[in-house]
Amino acid sequence: MKNDPTFKSSISNLSFPAKEKVSGKSIHDPILGLIIKDHPSFCDDDFIGVKELNSYRQKYVSNYLSTEIGALSDLEKSVLESLKEDKSIVSIVEDEEETRSFG
């Protein structure tokens, strides 16, 4: 049985196969930011395993989607509230008195 080379992750200190080694320099900034938030001593010269990187990718996508869905929910709430109050953007604009011209 052959002894495959391994490395130790800079964030977990766990051993991973060398072929799963990911340099901090190759990690995109938003994901790198999440890693540094959890592990402040992590830097560009450090390495993590692919499984660990995938975990942070999943965390990033989850945070991003929940933020986007939350923003969408606020918009939906605003529209529903205006409908509940029987107000629409068009009726609000039509109620405003102003002199309009062609041009």
Side-chain angles (χ1 to χ4, degrees):
M1 187 166 156
K2 184 166 81 168
N3 196 6
D4 291 330
T6 61
F7 77 98
K8 282 200 176 203
S9 166
S10 298
I11 62 174
S12 66
N13 229 13
L14 297 175
S15 291
F16 291 94
K19 64 183 178 185
E20 294 183 16
K21 190 176 189 179
V22 180
S23 168
K25 292 176 184 173
S26 67
I27 301 172
H28 292 279
D29 287 342
I31 296 168
L32 183 61
L34 290 175
I35 294 170
I36 292 172
K37 183 178 178 185
D38 290 347
H39 305 278
S41 63
F42 187 83
C43 68
D44 286 356
D45 296 325
D46 292 330
F47 297 92
I48 63 172
V50 170
K51 289 179 184 176
E52 293 171 316
L53 176 60
N54 287 341
S55 173
Y56 278 97
R57 285 178 175 155
Q58 182 180 12
K59 188 175 182 179
Y60 170 75
V61 170
S62 175
N63 289 344
Y64 179 80
L65 289 177
S66 65
T67 300
E68 290 301 311
I69 290 170
L72 186 58
S73 294
D74 290 344
L75 177 61
E76 289 172 338
K77 287 177 188 174
S78 175
V79 169
L80 290 174
E81 190 64 31
S82 70
L83 291 174
K84 184 172 131 184
E85 295 175 6
D86 195 27
K87 293 180 184 176
S88 70
I89 295 173
V90 173
S91 67
I92 293 170
V93 170
E94 288 176 347
D95 289 344
E96 293 177 0
E97 290 187 31
E98 73 178 55
T99 306
R100 298 185 184 178
S101 63
F102 296 104

